[in-house]
Amino acid sequence: MEFGESDDKISLDAIAERAKKYHPKPKITYKMIQEYVEKKYGFKVHTAYIAEVKRSLGLTMYDASNAVEELNQPRKHPPKEKVEAIKDALKYFEVI
């Protein structure tokens, strides 16, 4: 692939124009999800509930700096209304 200004080459100006228009999606944080759920549904959700829902949906999980190899307590499964609220937030932020 060659770059340049002739017919058989890709224009550098065209590449620069496309690069200006490109805007990657912002990273959606647990805090943003919590704020959305609290504002829309009027209750708070714990980050562990968000992680559990993401895990159940098979979404990408990032390594946490404070993660432990073995849990002190078993994971608590969130109540159904909180699961639905978290899924709604994930849809709102176009994660799912």
Side-chain angles (χ1 to χ4, degrees):
M1 183 175 293
E2 293 186 38
F3 302 100
E5 298 304 320
S6 66
D7 290 339
D8 61 338
K9 296 180 182 177
I10 298 174
S11 167
L12 292 176
D13 290 335
I15 293 171
E17 193 62 36
R18 284 185 67 194
K20 285 180 191 176
K21 292 178 183 177
Y22 175 72
H23 297 287
K25 289 184 179 179
K27 186 174 178 182
I28 306 305
T29 64
Y30 283 22
K31 185 169 183 66
M32 292 166 70
I33 294 169
Q34 287 174 315
E35 289 171 353
Y36 175 86
V37 169
E38 187 170 7
K39 185 177 179 181
K40 184 169 181 179
Y41 294 95
F43 55 79
K44 296 182 181 192
V45 291
H46 195 277
T47 56
Y49 287 172
I50 298 170
E52 190 65 28
V53 171
K54 286 180 71 177
R55 202 175 285 112
S56 73
L57 294 171
L59 296 175
T60 304
M61 303 289 291
Y62 299 100
D63 292 334
S65 59
N66 61 345
V68 294
E69 286 185 32
E70 193 172 314
L71 297 173
N72 293 337
Q73 300 173 3
R75 287 192 179 111
K76 294 181 181 177
H77 298 287
K80 187 173 181 164
E81 74 264 358
K82 291 191 178 187
V83 170
E84 294 305 317
I86 293 167
K87 284 182 179 179
D88 178 47
L90 293 172
K91 287 176 187 170
Y92 174 81
F93 289 113
E94 298 177 349
V95 175
I96 56 173

